[in-house]
Amino acid sequence: MQIAVSGGKGGTGKSTVAINLAIALRERYDLVLADLDVEAPNDHLLLGVELANEEPVELFMPRFDYGKCTRCRKCAEVCEEHAIITMRDGTPFLMPNLCSGCAACEIVCPVPGAILPGKKLMGHTYLTETPYGFPLVTGRLLEGEERAMPIVSRAKKRAQGLDKELLMVDTAAGTSNTVSKALEDSRLIIAVTEPTPLGIHDGELILRLAKLMDIPAMVVVNRSDLGDVAKVREIAEKYGAEVIAEIPYSENIIRSYVDGKPIVLTEYPEAGLFREIASRVVEFLGGGE
């Protein structure tokens, strides 16, 4: 089964909730944590581990054999990304940055071998053991690349392939297609937000997405003493979600970062808040049965 930690706005503490929740749940479930924020993955930093077991993620990229090409222009006509342009005589040229790797050009080409399958490196996935008894799967998009979906899909598939009892997904911020891909198959979404105007606005977006995907959601309000929590509760109720935790601004959480120790493992009072979140998740999932 899968649960996801998400949130419309970046910087709300989503990854902090994800890693502390994973640590709190590790004794109850045989789990894997997947960091699918492939443009800015940071769970490994918070867990204090170096990424390991790198695997490349490559995208199909067409190559033209001009000796066989009949200049029929079918490849350019079928390309929805307009990544293939043609000269006056029909000679095709590829604009690599626009290519999505769909291979429609290869499929539609009437001459076998006129379009050859090339590859472009888009990023990598990693499988890293952590000192907390569960593995971390991470996706990372190469700098300068724009298409994150292949990395998200491959990292999620790698995590699913471990066949653990529980897959915990830490998504990117926002409500893009990569976020919805990460959320697919989830039994529960933990939506992390903050009671600021932007946090409230983007928090509503993730709750709306959860409703569209028919996935139950619970809300965690981080830095709850810095804004209007009542407004967050109002929006949560609107989408049938429940606010299960309010985490105030805390220097202890910052101190745990500096010490390199997840706060759920400390004696700070805030540790109890994360354990309570874990208890609510276990209760929702049926006690692990």
Side-chain angles (χ1 to χ4, degrees):
M1 57 185 168
Q2 174 182 312
I3 64 173
V5 178
S6 193
K9 177 182 176 296
T12 59
K14 175 176 54 63
S15 294
T16 298
V17 171
I19 65 164
N20 282 283
L21 182 56
I23 292 171
L25 291 174
R26 61 182 173 167
E27 295 181 1
R28 190 78 187 200
Y29 301 99
D30 181 24
L31 66 87
V32 54
L33 174 62
D35 188 352
L36 301 186
D37 184 1
V38 302
E39 295 181 72
N42 65 353
D43 286 7
H44 63 289
L45 300 175
L46 300 179
L47 290 167
V49 295
E50 295 287 337
L51 294 178
N53 299 305
E54 179 180 275
E55 291 186 358
V57 178
E58 296 174 321
L59 194 68
F60 169 85
M61 194 67 62
R63 293 187 297 114
F64 301 106
D65 184 337
Y66 293 112
K68 296 181 179 179
C69 177
T70 62
R71 278 69 175 174
C72 68
R73 291 188 170 90
K74 291 185 181 296
C75 57
E77 292 170 359
V78 79
C79 182
E80 292 187 352
E81 303 292 341
H82 304 291
I84 298 175
I85 60 174
T86 58
M87 306 298 287
R88 284 188 177 181
D89 65 352
T91 301
F93 289 94
L94 178 72
M95 302 176 69
N97 289 340
L98 296 181
C99 181
S100 66
C102 70
C105 55
E106 183 185 35
I107 295 170
V108 78
C109 180
V111 181
I115 295 182
L116 303 172
K119 293 181 179 179
K120 179 182 181 182
L121 181 65
M122 302 298 295
H124 300 87
T125 66
Y126 303 84
L127 174 57
T128 309
E129 294 299 326
T130 73
Y132 303 106
F134 59 84
L136 170 69
V137 172
T138 305
R140 175 181 279 174
L141 184 69
L142 285 182
E143 291 185 13
E145 294 297 339
E146 298 178 357
R147 299 186 183 276
M149 182 62 82
I151 316 298
V152 172
S153 298
R154 191 71 61 82
K156 186 173 182 179
K157 186 175 181 180
R158 191 172 185 183
Q160 290 171 330
L162 297 177
D163 199 25
K164 296 291 186 178
E165 181 183 7
L166 178 64
L167 167 57
M168 273 195 60
V169 168
D170 182 11
T171 81
T175 54
S176 67
N177 61 343
T178 58
V179 173
S180 61
K181 179 64 177 178
L183 293 175
E184 278 182 1
D185 307 314
S186 295
R187 288 183 57 183
L188 174 67
I189 296 173
I190 306 296
V192 183
T193 188
E194 60 186 23
T196 60
L198 185 56
I200 292 170
H201 174 271
D202 289 2
E204 181 172 9
L205 292 181
I206 197 67
L207 290 177
R208 185 182 302 171
L209 178 61
K211 191 173 184 66
L212 286 171
M213 297 181 73
D214 196 25
I215 303 174
M218 295 178 177
V219 179
V220 172
V221 186
N222 196 23
R223 293 185 281 271
S224 59
D225 50 347
L226 299 183
D228 187 359
V229 176
K231 183 64 175 177
V232 177
R233 290 185 174 277
E234 177 184 329
I235 291 174
E237 183 178 355
K238 174 182 175 182
Y239 290 93
E242 179 185 0
V243 175
I244 61 169
E246 298 179 18
I247 304 172
Y249 174 80
S250 169
E251 292 187 2
N252 288 333
I253 294 178
I254 298 173
R255 192 172 293 112
S256 73
Y257 280 145
V258 175
D259 294 340
K261 185 176 183 180
I263 195 164
V264 75
L265 297 176
T266 71
E267 298 300 321
Y268 294 133
E270 292 83 355
L273 295 173
F274 291 96
R275 297 190 191 104
E276 177 60 26
I277 296 171
S279 295
R280 293 300 304 273
V281 170
V282 170
E283 179 183 353
F284 177 87
L285 297 177
E289 298 299 329

